[in-house]
């Protein structure tokens, strides 16, 4: 489970947009669901594009799927787009907010063509839904 820039500030960052859950709260919610699904999850948050690229490369070696909240890189990062295209494991993109209902610049989603699917707009629950989608795909379900 990869989280990009500024998501370390969840809970204090624009709570009217992103809610009051901290990233630790989100991780606890995901861990609980992961246990019930019988899967292990590794959590990484970074504010740095290259670290996220490295983590996607690393995931291809020891993970069955990735749930990625790329933060603002969703709208800008060709490097993340290429990293996702380079690996075979499914990547599910998640966003807490409904990016389509916000500023026009957030409607440009450069990762969308290479991820297996997106979950947007359900607050912290987007991560849990993203996990369910990723497990479904990793277990051979259809995307
Ligand atoms: C976000 C949406 C992005 O547009 C924004 O830059 C973020 C958070 C979300 O989870 O809603 O940092 O990825």
């Amino acid at each position: 489970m990869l989280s990009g820039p500024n998501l370390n500030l969840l809970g204090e960052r624009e709570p009217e947009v992103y809610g009051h859950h901290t990233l630790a709260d989100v991780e606890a919610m995901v861990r609980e669901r992961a246990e019930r699904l019988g899967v292990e999850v590794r959590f990484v948050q970074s504010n740095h594009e290259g670290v996220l690229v490295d983590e996607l490369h690393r995931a291809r070696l020891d993970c069955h799927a990735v749930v990625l909240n790329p933060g603002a890189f969703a709208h800008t990062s060709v490097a993340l787009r290429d990293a996702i295209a380079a690996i075979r494991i499914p990547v599910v993109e998640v966003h807490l907010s409904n990016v389509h209902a916000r500023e026009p610049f957030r409607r440009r989603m450069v990762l969308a063509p290479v991820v297996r699917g997106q979950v947007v707009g359900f607050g912290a629950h987007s991560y849990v839904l993203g996990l369910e989608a990723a497990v479904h795909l990793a277990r051979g379900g259809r995307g």
Side-chain angles (χ1 to χ4, degrees):
M1 187 142 297
L2 280 180
S3 295
N6 302 306
L7 291 162
N8 53 312
L9 297 184
L10 273 188
E12 65 175 275
R13 170 194 185 202
E14 301 181 80
E16 65 287 357
V17 178
Y18 299 116
H20 293 275
H21 289 292
T22 65
L23 193 57
D25 295 336
V26 173
E27 289 184 10
M29 289 165 67
V30 168
R31 266 189 215 290
E32 193 191 311
R33 186 62 56 98
E35 261 171 45
R36 275 199 271 150
L37 290 167
V39 298
E40 266 179 49
V41 186
R42 176 165 78 232
F43 295 92
V44 177
Q45 187 277 329
S46 177
N47 294 322
H48 305 279
E49 191 176 24
V51 173
L52 296 169
V53 169
D54 288 343
E55 288 296 331
L56 285 164
H57 294 179
R58 179 179 167 209
R60 89 190 195 286
L61 302 174
D62 64 356
C63 294
H64 292 102
V66 174
V67 177
L68 170 67
N69 184 346
F73 290 141
H75 316 298
T76 62
S77 179
V78 176
L80 281 184
R81 185 229 173 266
D82 289 352
I84 293 165
I87 63 176
R88 284 175 196 280
I89 58 172
V91 177
V92 177
E93 180 176 357
V94 302
H95 294 279
L96 299 142
S97 62
N98 179 359
V99 284
H100 304 291
R102 298 180 61 194
E103 303 93 327
F105 63 82
R106 291 188 206 275
R107 286 186 211 136
R108 178 167 173 258
M109 309 281 295
V110 302
L111 312 184
V114 291
V115 295
R116 290 289 293 273
Q118 295 176 312
V119 180
V120 304
F122 297 99
H125 200 61
S126 289
Y127 276 80
V128 177
L129 294 171
L131 173 77
E132 288 180 351
V135 171
H136 170 76
L137 293 170
R139 290 183 170 158
R142 284 171 176 262

